[in-house]
């Protein structure tokens, strides 16, 4: 590692919370949040803290950015617009429920799902509400803690909900286009992953059930595969990479969902995968950060941070940044040649 820093404003002597936020970048600034006390920014040239913004009950969700603005939800039920240069809060919006799902920003509108299963659309400039879509009451359902980041394509929003529904809405008005219930037969029905749109298709992961490929226009199921989890899938190297709630990471054929390879971990579950050069980089929730061959899943190298990795690793050139379960921010400079494993530069 070339960089490691505690993100906590004071020593945590209580229980650990889940740190899911992927670090984000703006020029030479890196911003990350922890689930205990809020956000902080580092100058990547000096590795010094640039600013800190304390937020009650912390930040668990990943953030959306545009220019020098960061948009992020919090465990206290508020969504914030923050200047990434100064840490100044520009506006906040009270969603009345914790927000542990990453927001989406598109065409000046911020979309996010609250813990109350409401999908909000806000004017990103000042935070005023444009519309809200209230999904059915899920109070009687057994659900896992999480939420789906919405996706958008051609003016239509796609989002998953805790009752196993995938919903498409008009992005300007919030009116329903179509809705399908995917996960029907399991105890936990949640769709907490972000629907990934590519061409005419949507790819989405559902907890404890299956991975689905659907037609974007009507929601018809094209194929499904027996995996299922809370993490979003990723389309890399022309394959579908998905982690399951059973501790599996798999590569699937994008056209028909057939299995190409699968690996398993005894160290919790895998995070959403990222790409660095010709490798897949992924974390284990109770283990290591791992670098894998995308063709066969073979482990090229790994790094043990202690207390695991819950967030999707963020890649910038040949550098990988992530927050560990102990709320420590790590930076790894990784150089790889096919003749050797990852070399970590001090």
């Amino acid at each position: 590692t070339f960089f490691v820093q505690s993100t906590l404003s004071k020593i945590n002597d209580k229980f650990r919370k889940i740190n899911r936020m992927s670090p984000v970048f703006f020029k030479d600034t890196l911003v990350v949040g922890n689930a205990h006390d809020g956000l902080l920014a580092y100058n990547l040239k000096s590795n010094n803290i640039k600013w800190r913004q304390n937020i009650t009950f912390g930040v668990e969700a990943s953030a959306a950015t545009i220019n020098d603005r960061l948009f992020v939800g919090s465990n206290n039920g508020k969504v914030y617009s923050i200047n990434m240069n100064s840490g100044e809060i520009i506006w906040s919006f009270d969603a009345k429920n914790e927000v542990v799902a990453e927001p989406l920003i598109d065409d000046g509108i911020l979309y996010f799902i609250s813990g109350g299963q409401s999908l909000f659309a806000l004017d990103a400039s000042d935070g005023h509400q444009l519309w809200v879509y209230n999904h059915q009451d899920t109070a009687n359902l057994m659900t896992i803690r999480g939420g789906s980041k919405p996706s958008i394509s051609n003016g239509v929003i796609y989002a998953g909900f805790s009752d196993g529904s995938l919903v498409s809405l008009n992005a300007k008005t919030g009116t329903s286009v179509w809705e399908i219930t995917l996960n029907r037969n399991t105890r936990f029905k949640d769709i907490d992953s972000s629907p990934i749109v590519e061409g005419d298709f949507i790819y989405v992961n559902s907890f404890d059930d299956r991975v689905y490929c659907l037609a974007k226009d009507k929601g018809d199921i094209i194929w499904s595969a027996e995996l299922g989890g809370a993490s979003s899938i990723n389309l890399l190297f022309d394959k579908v990479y998905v982690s399951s709630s059973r501790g599996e990471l798999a590569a699937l054929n994008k056209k028909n969902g057939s299995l190409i390879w699968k690996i398993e971990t005894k160290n919790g579950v895998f995070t959403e995968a990222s790409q660095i050069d010709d490798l897949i980089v992924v974390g284990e929730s109770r283990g290591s950060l791992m670098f894998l061959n995308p063709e066969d899943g073979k482990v090229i190298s790994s790094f043990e941070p202690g207390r695991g990795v819950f967030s999707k690793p963020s890649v910038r050139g040949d550098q990988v940044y992530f927050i560990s379960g102990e709320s420590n921010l790590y930076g790894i400079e990784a150089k790889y040649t096919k003749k050797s494993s990852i070399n970590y530069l001090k």
Side-chain angles (χ1 to χ4, degrees), residues 171-304:
K172 297 297 183 183
T173 64
T175 55
S176 177
V177 178
W178 55 256
E179 178 177 338
I180 183 172
T181 301
L182 294 175
N183 195 345
R184 296 176 180 271
N185 301 316
T186 60
R187 183 183 183 189
F188 296 99
K189 302 180 181 300
D190 309 60
I191 296 179
D192 286 336
S193 67
S194 175
I196 304 300
V197 181
E198 183 181 76
D200 295 328
F201 303 104
I202 303 170
Y203 302 86
V204 67
N205 196 10
S206 65
F207 189 81
D208 245 2
D209 184 45
R210 306 176 79 87
V211 181
Y212 293 90
C213 174
L214 305 101
K216 186 175 68 174
D217 57 351
K218 295 181 180 179
D220 297 331
I221 297 174
I222 306 300
W223 58 256
S224 66
E226 292 185 2
L227 285 160
S231 296
S232 298
I233 63 103
N234 230 324
L235 303 179
L236 303 171
F237 303 103
D238 205 36
K239 300 179 182 67
V240 175
Y241 293 89
V242 59
S243 64
S244 80
S245 57
R246 298 186 294 271
E248 304 157 317
L249 179 71
L252 306 178
N253 184 300
K254 191 163 59 175
K255 293 183 178 180
N256 57 26
S258 61
L259 181 67
I260 299 172
W261 57 257
K262 181 171 67 174
I263 61 173
E264 297 181 6
T265 178
K266 295 180 180 179
N267 298 315
V269 296
F270 288 106
T271 67
E272 181 182 345
S274 298
Q275 177 183 348
I276 180 167
D277 294 327
D278 294 329
L279 298 178
I280 295 294
V281 57
V282 66
E284 300 171 297
S285 63
R286 296 200 303 268
S288 303
L289 185 77
M290 304 174 70
F291 298 83
L292 311 176
N293 186 321
E295 298 302 320
D296 56 15
K298 179 181 177 181
V299 179
I300 302 300
S301 190
S302 64
F303 173 79
E304 172 61 67

